[in-house]
Amino acid sequence: MSEPFGNPLLVVPDAPGPHQPRSGRRGSGFLDGPLRLGTTPSATVGPYLAIGMTWPDGAWAAEEGTAGAFWIRGRILDGAGDLVADAMVETWQADPDGGFASPEDPRGAASYPGFRGFARSHTADPPGEFAVHTLKPGRVPDGDGGLQAPHIDVSVFARGILDRVVMRIYFADEAEANAEDAVLRALPEDRRSTLLATPADDGYRLDIHLQGERETVFFAV
Amino acid sequence: MTGTTSVGGPHLPRYHREDAALRTPVGFPDYRSTALRAPLRTPVDLAHRLTEVTGPVLGEDRVLPHDADLTLRNGGEAVGQRILVHGRVLDSDGRAVPGALVEVWQANAAGRYRHVGDSFPAPLDPHFDGLGRVVTDSLGRYEFMTVKPGAYPWGNHHNAWRPAHIHFSLFGRAFTQRLVTQMYFPDDPLFGQDPIFNAMPAAARHRAISRFSLERTQENWALAFEWDIVLRGSDQTPFETDDDGDVA
Ligand SMILES: [Fe+2]
């Protein structure tokens, strides 16, 4: 098998490529259409992501001892039902008042004591399990005059996944808010539960199924 | 399309999504571990609301002074060809992305990772751990000194070898811009048999290959490779640069 991937033309340049960001039309003052640089294609994190992507304080979106903080834990499972012990889960969310620790929020960057909004958890220990220490996010506007239910945006990276996959964590004990949430309402009823974390001893639990009968609802962002 | 959506008054950016024909698919049959891991259902479109257009501020507080020079660890010098890797982080609107955290990791010059899971019988280097972190400057520029990583074998298919590469993890301004990818070196003879390289659409592969950068080589010290990284843009600012490449 000399050419297992069967593409003799390996590299087809386009223009302007990312190596020539300064080329192309400029200075004319007119653009006859959107002029965009091509985005860099993603690649798998591979099996050794722990070298570059783990932080000692990674799991702590909320610092230890923050009032109201809890753990969200869960397993990552593949299509055979086996644990995925070399994945990375990253979470991003609003604080309990519905603010984001980000200058990109047009309402202004929020600051909430002891809270970072972001966490990342490798799934090596215990194998296949992630854990983030956080606070329940508040409700934030949905852009159509309503409020979203409390939710956390999640990226999952792993060997064997070439581009991150994105899901949301909602909370099973927020039934009233969940019933009003535009994103949840647009999903078939029998699939919504794949995004609902359920109360547990020290917080909440939600397993992420990459494939299978209970494949998690993943989003294209 | 205006590029913005209204969220109870303030206008939010809407991040442009690259054409599917130019994006890496989540699964690729020749890369065998994707078979049970890449989701099979079509993902559900998620409109960009506040959670998606915001993102964590991760800057200098995540970086230590020695993180930009991977060749100095444990009181000694790493073995291998010294290289300076440099470039800019931009978005697809041509705007620089300043203050962005760039995390890199790589094999040593012999192709061995410092990781319990790596059983390739090539030597570890006591002076190389393969981890680097930098933050882009006000013009979106980054650079770090390292050694050129070796190719390494893996079990995907008979006699499979990964082309030399450096793993990159990037945070832009927003959740939508998050990117993890790999940088390659020019003209690697291993490209043809590597399914991770070939999973990228043919028309996008060159965007993952660095350029030999004679102008930044350091006399009597190091070679240099340049690689610009383009994150998703949001149609917020017209693409317009001056002669220095600075965003006008
Ligand atoms: Fe690698």
Side-chain angles (χ1 to χ4, degrees):
Chain A
M1 215 167 57
S2 62
E3 199 63 64
F5 308 109
N7 193 338
L9 194 60
L10 288 173
V11 173
V12 182
D14 60 6
H19 303 139
Q20 303 91 35
R22 295 163 202 179
S23 66
R25 296 160 290 179
R26 64 166 181 254
S28 72
F30 295 98
L31 294 175
D32 51 14
L35 183 54
R36 286 200 182 95
L37 303 179
T39 53
T40 306
S42 78
T44 180
V45 292
Y48 310 124
L49 76 162
I51 297 172
M53 289 175 64
T54 50
W55 296 343
D57 64 345
W60 302 87
E63 288 169 9
E64 192 161 12
T66 305
F70 52 78
W71 287 95
I72 299 180
R73 302 178 193 275
R75 300 174 300 168
I76 301 192
L77 300 147
D78 71 10
D82 290 331
L83 293 164
V84 177
D86 51 7
M88 172 69 76
V89 170
E90 290 183 351
T91 62
W92 171 245
Q93 61 170 97
D95 65 34
D97 297 332
F100 290 92
S102 165
E104 297 297 302
D105 187 332
R107 303 168 302 173
S111 156
Y112 193 96
F115 188 66
R116 185 171 73 193
F118 176 80
R120 59 190 352 188
S121 173
H122 192 25
T123 59
D125 183 27
E129 184 142 334
F130 68 89
V132 299
H133 187 256
T134 191
L135 292 163
K136 177 88 70 89
R139 299 185 69 177
V140 299
D142 68 4
D144 287 312
L147 291 171
Q148 302 184 68
H151 66 275
I152 299 174
D153 273 13
V154 179
S155 302
V156 181
F157 304 86
R159 174 178 66 84
I161 296 178
L162 284 157
D163 194 1
R164 69 162 173 172
V165 294
V166 170
M167 49 93 66
R168 276 183 165 193
I169 293 174
Y170 287 88
F171 298 87
D173 55 5
E174 295 282 347
E176 201 174 310
N178 290 342
E180 296 170 1
D181 186 87
V183 175
L184 280 179
R185 286 168 65 108
L187 300 175
E189 215 170 325
D190 63 330
R191 300 205 66 215
R192 291 177 200 165
S193 64
T194 69
L195 303 181
L196 296 182
T198 53
D201 286 347
D202 60 353
Y204 294 86
R205 281 201 70 87
L206 179 62
D207 289 344
I208 298 173
H209 296 261
L210 296 174
Q211 295 182 357
E213 281 292 291
R214 296 243 326 133
E215 182 177 312
T216 297
V217 171
F218 294 105
F219 294 105
V221 292
Chain B
M1 192 168 108
T2 64
T4 61
T5 55
S6 170
V7 173
H11 287 274
L12 296 185
R14 180 184 298 155
Y15 283 83
H16 176 68
R17 190 164 165 81
E18 185 66 275
D19 292 341
L22 291 166
R23 287 201 314 265
T24 311
V26 66
F28 187 69
D30 290 325
Y31 175 19
R32 285 168 36 201
S33 352
T34 66
L36 286 171
R37 292 186 167 199
L40 298 175
R41 293 176 185 249
T42 304
V44 176
D45 282 329
L46 182 68
H48 295 173
R49 298 185 177 89
L50 282 164
T51 319
E52 290 72 41
V53 304
T54 54
V57 178
L58 303 166
E60 297 292 347
D61 59 324
R62 309 277 1 157
V63 173
L64 298 170
H66 70 263
D67 285 346
D69 188 346
L70 288 75
T71 70
L72 300 173
R73 291 289 186 275
N74 288 325
E77 285 188 274
V79 172
Q81 176 84 65
R82 270 187 222 105
I83 59 171
L84 177 76
V85 178
H86 68 100
R88 297 174 75 198
V89 181
L90 305 165
D91 67 23
S92 60
D93 304 315
R95 293 194 299 170
V97 184
L101 179 63
V102 180
E103 299 172 305
V104 300
W105 68 101
Q106 64 169 88
N108 69 20
R112 179 84 186 267
Y113 282 94
R114 185 169 290 282
H115 189 284
V116 291
D118 189 355
S119 55
F120 176 34
L124 282 167
D125 181 341
H127 300 303
F128 190 79
D129 62 17
L131 165 65
R133 290 190 174 116
V134 292
V135 175
T136 59
D137 71 9
S138 61
L139 298 177
R141 295 177 299 202
Y142 73 90
E143 63 180 64
F144 57 92
M145 187 67 80
T146 185
V147 294
K148 190 172 181 199
Y152 59 85
W154 61 311
N156 186 71
H157 57 276
H158 176 65
N159 200 23
W161 290 81
R162 293 298 328 282
H165 61 274
I166 299 177
H167 295 264
F168 275 68
S169 160
L170 291 114
F171 293 89
R173 308 174 181 95
F175 180 81
T176 49
Q177 291 183 307
R178 184 85 175 92
L179 176 69
V180 177
T181 186
Q182 300 178 20
M183 184 200 92
Y184 296 91
F185 294 87
D187 304 318
D188 195 315
L190 292 168
F191 286 157
Q193 58 77 61
D194 180 43
I196 294 179
F197 180 84
N198 287 282
M200 296 184 286
R205 288 174 199 154
H206 70 285
R207 299 175 185 171
I209 304 171
S210 59
R211 181 186 74 85
F212 174 63
S213 163
L214 182 65
E215 64 277 16
R216 290 296 307 275
T217 53
Q218 296 182 358
E219 188 177 2
N220 212 21
W221 192 252
L223 298 180
F225 291 87
E226 180 181 23
W227 191 50
D228 288 344
I229 301 152
V230 181
L231 306 178
R232 296 166 66 185
S234 58
D235 298 333
Q236 279 189 310
T237 307
F239 180 79
E240 186 77 7
T241 63
D242 64 27
D243 285 343
D244 296 327
D246 302 337
V247 173

